[in-house]
């Protein structure tokens, strides 16, 4: 079933539908209601489509067509009535006959233990209490009223006693049944739950907002709230909202189950979505274990949650516990640490990278967010500063989810002080005072100092020593910084002139460590041409390009003399990279460094002259699928091509091996069926290493 409802103005369906008498069409319309409602339920509630899209669309058009011909057959529960109605001028107020409660919060284990103790004391029991646990969705609480199985009203929570009638908007939410499934529902039923916007829908909504130069929503909760409060329900219909139920409001004319978990199961039979993560646990230990599990899973969920709700599962016990003020004594929300917090932007530092790129970094008043204290965050470049419209002195929102690097999400403009200072790019490098340049078509400003700049020098040496480059064990960032600051080295060639006397002068450098470091520097002299080329830090020359250059030129002397035409004939080298390579080798300073390194004794085995078909993986076809954690798929493909393999898009009997990352789907299945070799990421990295490519 397509997520977009078919156009009501599609004429083609009319021609295909035989319109006969009212009686036949009434029967057919009822049949179509049932089929479409079931398909809707399977798709939106069970996440398990039962009809192909085209078939759903055909049935939908057929019903639409009947309703156009026989308007008397059009009813409010028709599956065609989800596309939005005539805009309202305002929302009417509704009174909640059973108040919509809010929840008390727990912020740590002590709060949870206190809650559990209060429950036991009030129930005057030493028995372990049974709790129902559910993720606390970050959405908007709503009440849905059904009479004789038909949705008659949807309302916001409002202040708990009075909310707004948003029935027109509620009807557009595909996972809300317009008519309950089954026949055993009570004549009056009020179901409560959360309308929310899944993360993916939120992201696509904001992509659209950016494209149209409109203001973005700050988070899925605000987006859901904004979408539900539209007077024009067609706008609500265009947003991908979902609903998940979590409690019973009014009920008349039927007994309901005696446990909360069973009530949820009953809701599910009537066509509602309940949370797939819901679980029943025993005692506060069970609650804390569930909290931990969900905290770990939080970032993988397709929707935002801000905590876990624990409810005493037994309804009789709930009734005995009752309420205090507007919150039940039988439930609590155990909140996760906030992923967004506000703080003050106290200043901006400009950091200089290996290629001279100047990165503005926000200096923040330290703030605890997402479980850690954050005191700085990258601002990337001046375009990002402009996009955020951020100034020094502003109150800013810092976002940190899971292990993701904290980012400055937005500015709270209402709190901007008069004294806020506009952030300007520096005109001179903060480290070497060279000019800062920004090419017209580049977002990045760069220090023009090259290796004269101490910062670039340090970064270049760190890169030179790193694992994928010369792999000098023990030469960490701190030691490089000391060596440069103490003027013991000024280029990477100088590393090979270091001796015991100079190294031993470094802070916290014991005799043994100094010996180990010098031995590691000595060992690094034996390398490969590809690693050596990578270690030089030529712009845009990564591991794969270095490998391709090695395959093509075999010898550094030929490469150094290569012209533009020859360079662009190398696999993976385009005009921009070719120009960077030319610039690098034409620079006398770089030539001196290379000569110095070769004189210091850096060497590699003579690369054998190999035609493409002599490369180690020539004649082999690989397919790469799934998510690789340590490299991108394109990077993996580049490595394979550098080793001569062909990389195909689909698995067939001709495939030699499949590199399968996480969440690999049909390609993995097909490779298994065909008995093709499957390499996970670790095995792939091992294969690369066997052929001289070190990743990570
Ligand atoms: N999952 C869930 N969220 N939530 C919010 N359950 C739940 N229950 C609530 C609220 C306000 O209230 C009931 C305790 C009535």
């Amino acid at each position: 079933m397509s997520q977009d409802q078919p156009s009501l103005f599609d004429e083609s369906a009319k021609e295909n539908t035989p319109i006969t008498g009212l009686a036949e069409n009434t029967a057919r319309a009822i049949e179509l209601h049932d089929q479409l409602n079931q398909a809707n339920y399977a798709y939106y509630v069970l996440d398990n489509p039962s009809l192909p899209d085209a078939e759903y669309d055909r049935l939908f058009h057929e019903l639409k067509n009947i309703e156009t011909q026989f308007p008397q057959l059009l009813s409010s529960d028709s599956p065609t009535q989800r596309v939005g109605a005539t805009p309202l001028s305002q929302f009417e107020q509704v009174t909640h006959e059973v108040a919509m409660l809010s929840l008390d919060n727990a912020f740590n284990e002590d709060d949870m233990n206190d809650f559990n103790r209060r429950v036991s004391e009030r129930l005057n029991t030493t028995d372990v209490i049974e709790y129902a646990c559910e993720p606390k969705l970050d959405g908007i609480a709503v009440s849905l009223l059904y009479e004789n199985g038909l949705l008659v009203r949807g309302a916001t929570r409002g202040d708990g006693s009075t909310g707004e009638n948003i029935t027109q908007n509620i009807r557009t939410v595909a996972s809300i049944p317009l008519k309950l499934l089954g026949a055993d529902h009570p004549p009056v039923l009020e179901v409560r739950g959360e309308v929310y916007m899944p993360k993916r829908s939120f992201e696509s909504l904001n992509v659209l907002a950016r494209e149209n130069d409109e203001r973005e929503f700050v988070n899925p909760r605000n987006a859901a709230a904004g979408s539900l409060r539209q007077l024009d329900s067609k706008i609500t219909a265009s947003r991908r909202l979902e609903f998940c139920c979590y409690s019973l409001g009014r009920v008349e004319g039927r007994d309901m189950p005696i446990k909360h978990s069973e009530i949820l199961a009953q809701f599910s039979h009537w066509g509602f979505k309940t949370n797939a993560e819901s679980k029943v646990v025993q005692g506060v230990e069970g609650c804390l274990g569930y909290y931990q599990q969900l905290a770990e899973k939080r970032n993988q969920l397709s929707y935002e949650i801000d905590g876990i709700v624990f409810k005493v599962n037994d309804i009789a016990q709930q009734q005995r516990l009752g309420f205090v003020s507007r919150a039940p004594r039988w439930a609590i929300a155990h909140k996760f640490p906030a992923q967004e917090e506000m703080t003050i932007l106290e200043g901006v530092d400009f950091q200089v990278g290996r290629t001279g790129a100047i990165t503005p970094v926000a200096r923040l008043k330290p703030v605890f967010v997402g479980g850690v204290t954050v005191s700085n965050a990258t601002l990337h470049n001046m375009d990002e500063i402009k996009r955020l419209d951020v100034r020094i002195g502003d109150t800013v929102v810092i976002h940190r989810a899971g292990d993701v690097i904290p980012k400055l999400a937005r500015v709270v403009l209402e709190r901007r002080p008069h004294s806020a200072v506009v952030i300007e790019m520096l005109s001179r490098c903060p480290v070497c005072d060279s000019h800062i340049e920004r090419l017209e078509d580049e977002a990045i400003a760069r220090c023009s100092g090259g290796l004269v700049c101490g910062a670039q020098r340090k970064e270049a040496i760190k890169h030179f020593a790193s694992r994928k480059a010369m792999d000098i064990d023990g030469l960490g960032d701190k030691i490089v910084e000391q060596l440069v600051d103490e003027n013991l080295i000024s280029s990477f060639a100088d590393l090979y002139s270091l001796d015991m006397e100079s190294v031993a002068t470094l802070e916290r450098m014991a005799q043994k460590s100094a010996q180990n470091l010098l031995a590691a520097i000595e060992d690094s002299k034996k390398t490969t041409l590809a690693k050596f080329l990578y270690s030089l830090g030529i712009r845009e020359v990564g591991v794969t390009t270095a490998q391709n250059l090695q395959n093509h030129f075999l010898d550094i002397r030929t490469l150094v003399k290569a012209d533009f035409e020859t360079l662009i004939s190398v696999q993976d080298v385009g005009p921009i990279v070719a120009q960077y390579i030319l610039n690098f080798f034409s620079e006398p300073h770089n030539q001196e460094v290379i000569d110095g390194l070769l004189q210091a004794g850096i060497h590699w085995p003579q690369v054998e002259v190999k035609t493409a078909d002599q490369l180690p993986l020539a004649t082999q076809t690989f397919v790469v699928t799934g998510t690789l954690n340590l490299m991108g798929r394109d990077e993996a493909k580049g490595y394979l091509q550098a080793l001569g393999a062909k990389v195909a898009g689909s698995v067939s009997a001709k495939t030699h091996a499949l590199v399968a990352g996480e969440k690999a789907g049909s390609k993995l299945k097909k490779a298994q069926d065909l008995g093709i070799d499957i390499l996970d990421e670790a095995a792939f990295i091992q294969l690369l290493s066997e052929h001289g490519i070190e990743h990570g």
Side-chain angles (χ1 to χ4, degrees):
M1 186 188 336
S2 58
Q3 300 248 340
D4 294 318
Q5 297 286 27
S7 161
L8 300 183
F9 304 105
D10 186 345
E11 293 293 309
S12 59
K14 266 188 199 164
E15 287 152 27
N16 303 334
T17 313
I19 301 285
T20 48
L22 177 62
E24 291 102 309
N25 280 289
T26 308
R28 181 64 183 148
I30 292 170
E31 212 170 76
L32 288 169
H33 273 210
D34 282 351
Q35 284 180 6
L36 290 166
N37 278 339
Q38 281 293 346
N40 216 50
Y41 174 67
Y43 190 94
Y44 290 105
V45 178
L46 303 181
D47 278 337
N48 184 15
S50 59
L51 287 183
D53 287 3
E55 179 61 10
Y56 181 89
D57 291 348
R58 257 191 302 278
L59 298 178
F60 187 93
H61 279 296
E62 189 185 341
L63 177 60
K64 191 81 202 123
N65 204 12
I66 293 176
E67 289 171 349
T68 313
Q69 298 291 323
F70 299 95
Q72 63 272 48
L73 296 182
L74 180 61
S75 62
S76 63
D77 65 318
S78 169
T80 62
Q81 298 306 294
R82 286 190 182 274
V83 287
T86 320
L88 300 173
S89 55
Q90 60 174 43
F91 295 117
E92 285 177 1
Q93 295 214 319
V94 297
T95 306
H96 299 299
E97 290 192 25
V98 177
M100 286 186 80
L101 303 170
S102 54
L103 288 165
D104 273 343
N105 291 326
F107 294 101
N108 50 43
E109 288 195 15
D110 287 351
D111 293 349
M112 281 302 293
N113 283 319
D114 288 348
F115 164 71
N116 183 57
R117 187 182 34 73
R118 287 195 302 271
V119 168
S120 301
E121 282 174 6
R122 282 219 160 235
L123 293 175
N124 197 17
T125 179
T126 52
D127 291 351
V128 172
I129 308 290
E130 183 171 272
Y131 290 103
C133 332
E134 297 151 26
K136 186 169 183 301
L137 298 181
D138 210 2
I140 305 299
V142 299
S143 137
L144 309 176
L145 185 63
Y146 290 83
E147 286 175 4
N148 298 316
L150 295 184
L151 174 70
V152 292
R153 196 193 72 189
T156 59
R157 175 178 180 280
D159 63 5
S161 313
T162 310
E164 284 179 323
N165 187 330
I166 52 161
T167 313
Q168 293 209 140
N169 295 348
I170 284 293
R171 285 183 173 287
T172 69
V173 179
S175 47
I176 293 181
L178 300 178
K179 180 180 177 194
L180 300 182
L181 298 181
D184 57 346
H185 34 75
V188 176
L189 174 73
E190 186 194 354
V191 174
R192 287 165 179 182
E194 205 88 350
V195 168
Y196 63 97
M197 186 175 281
K199 289 176 191 168
R200 268 194 28 210
S201 313
F202 169 72
E203 277 150 24
S204 22
L205 185 62
N206 270 351
V207 167
L208 206 67
R210 279 198 289 278
E211 278 170 11
N212 296 336
D213 251 343
E214 287 165 6
R215 209 186 158 118
E216 292 177 41
F217 287 101
V218 295
N219 55 40
R221 184 181 187 283
N222 283 35
S227 306
L228 266 193
R229 293 209 74 264
Q230 293 290 336
L231 290 167
D232 181 355
S233 53
K234 288 198 175 64
I235 299 179
T236 317
S238 73
R239 310 276 168 84
R240 308 268 158 85
L241 296 174
E242 295 203 9
F243 173 76
C244 182
C245 65
Y246 56 63
S247 80
L248 178 66
R250 261 172 80 196
V251 60
E252 285 172 21
R254 186 191 192 280
D255 286 337
M256 291 294 282
I258 58 166
K259 297 226 171 175
H260 174 77
S261 51
E262 291 163 6
I263 294 177
L264 291 185
Q266 181 61 72
F267 284 163
S268 172
H269 286 125
W270 288 333
F272 292 97
K273 186 168 186 152
T274 54
N275 198 299
E277 308 295 334
S278 305
K279 199 174 162 188
V280 173
V281 301
Q282 305 302 321
V284 69
E285 298 301 328
C287 294
L288 294 173
Y290 180 87
Y291 176 89
Q292 204 49 47
Q293 266 175 22
L294 261 286
E296 279 159 30
K297 205 171 174 186
R298 181 181 186 185
N299 290 318
Q300 278 124 264
L301 296 175
S302 60
Y303 44 83
E304 293 283 359
I305 61 174
D306 60 357
I308 304 293
V309 181
F310 297 105
K311 297 172 186 165
V312 172
N313 200 24
D314 184 304
I315 302 292
Q317 288 184 333
Q318 287 188 4
Q319 282 160 356
R320 281 170 58 203
L321 286 160
F323 310 93
V324 56
S325 153
R326 293 218 153 254
R329 287 201 189 90
W330 42 266
I332 196 149
H334 189 182
K335 301 296 277 284
F336 290 133
Q339 291 188 322
E340 285 197 346
E341 285 292 354
M342 286 196 290
T343 188
I344 306 288
L345 177 66
E346 293 185 328
V348 172
D349 290 336
F350 289 89
Q351 286 180 355
V352 188
R354 173 166 65 83
T355 57
I358 308 278
T359 306
V361 178
R363 242 187 317 104
L364 304 163
K365 181 159 181 239
V367 59
F368 191 72
V369 54
V372 297
T373 302
V374 174
S375 43
N376 47 51
T378 178
L379 287 165
H380 302 287
N381 53 51
M382 293 309 286
D383 289 350
E384 176 71 353
I385 289 176
K386 198 164 151 210
R387 188 187 74 77
L388 288 165
D389 182 19
V390 59
R391 299 184 191 174
I392 296 168
D394 269 339
T395 297
V396 294
V397 175
I398 302 299
H399 182 99
R400 183 184 182 271
D403 294 334
V404 180
I405 300 168
K407 73 170 195 181
L408 196 160
R410 58 190 177 277
V411 176
V412 186
L413 285 175
E414 305 77 58
R415 296 204 184 182
R416 170 165 288 167
H418 291 300
S419 56
V421 176
V422 173
I423 302 163
E424 309 257 24
M425 176 44 83
L426 305 176
S427 58
R428 304 193 84 93
C429 173
V431 177
C432 71
D433 204 37
S434 301
H435 278 107
I436 288 178
E437 299 165 339
R438 181 174 169 181
L439 300 184
E440 245 170 55
D441 51 350
E442 275 203 6
I444 312 265
R446 289 176 198 279
C447 159
S448 59
L451 292 182
V452 169
C453 173
Q456 291 188 54
R457 231 181 301 145
K458 283 179 185 168
E459 295 309 311
I461 296 168
K462 287 177 197 170
H463 171 80
F464 181 83
S466 65
R467 214 166 89 67
K468 287 191 257 176
M470 300 302 280
D471 194 13
I472 306 179
D473 210 18
L475 188 57
D477 292 358
K478 288 271 166 316
I479 297 182
V480 170
E481 278 165 27
Q482 278 191 62
L483 287 168
V484 175
D485 290 342
E486 302 291 324
N487 284 324
L488 291 172
I489 56 173
S490 64
S491 83
F492 23 76
D494 297 340
L495 284 170
Y496 295 94
S497 326
L498 286 173
D499 54 20
M500 216 30 215
E501 203 183 329
S502 47
V503 174
T505 62
L506 298 179
E507 235 175 80
R508 278 186 298 242
M509 178 65 77
Q511 171 94 5
K512 185 74 192 146
S513 316
Q515 274 168 359
N516 289 346
L517 177 58
L518 289 175
I521 293 174
E522 188 59 28
D523 280 355
S524 74
K525 288 182 180 171
K526 183 167 176 276
T527 183
T528 66
L529 174 57
K531 282 179 149 223
F532 179 71
L533 293 175
Y534 173 69
S535 73
L536 295 175
I538 307 168
R539 265 180 84 183
E540 301 295 331
V541 175
V543 173
T544 316
T545 310
Q547 186 71 37
N548 288 329
L549 290 168
Q550 167 179 303
N551 291 349
H552 189 98
F553 291 101
L554 311 173
D555 180 66
I556 186 136
R557 271 162 277 271
T558 337
L559 167 60
V560 170
K561 293 196 193 103
D563 59 14
F564 184 81
E565 257 50 44
T566 315
L567 284 168
I568 55 169
S569 72
V570 176
Q571 173 157 345
D572 219 20
V573 175
I576 295 179
V577 182
Q579 196 56 53
Y580 287 149
I581 297 172
L582 276 182
N583 293 352
F584 185 89
F585 289 124
S586 63
E587 178 71 50
H589 172 81
N590 291 334
Q591 292 168 1
E592 244 172 64
V593 169
I594 293 171
D595 284 342
L597 289 168
L598 297 180
Q599 274 160 23
I602 288 185
H603 62 284
W604 48 83
Q606 178 65 43
V607 185
E608 284 171 44
V609 182
K610 280 184 184 147
T611 53
D613 57 332
Q614 287 171 325
L615 287 169
L617 301 184
T619 73
Q620 299 190 6
T621 302
F622 280 67
V623 174
V624 182
T625 190
T627 310
L628 299 168
N629 291 316
L630 301 175
M631 66 183 92
R633 274 213 293 270
D634 283 342
E635 201 180 347
K637 288 177 189 170
Y639 289 146
L640 286 165
Q641 283 162 346
L643 293 171
K646 209 171 127 205
V647 182
S650 59
V651 174
S652 73
K654 290 190 186 140
T655 308
H656 175 266
L658 176 77
V659 178
E662 280 172 17
K663 297 196 200 119
S666 56
K667 289 181 190 168
L668 175 60
K669 166 106 189 33
K670 190 158 180 198
Q672 284 164 339
D673 292 347
L674 292 172
I676 286 166
D677 277 353
I678 294 160
L679 305 180
D680 64 11
E681 190 165 7
F684 179 55
I685 288 174
Q686 173 65 28
L687 173 83
L688 295 179
S689 163
E690 281 161 17
H691 293 293
I693 297 183
E694 294 302 335
H695 180 86

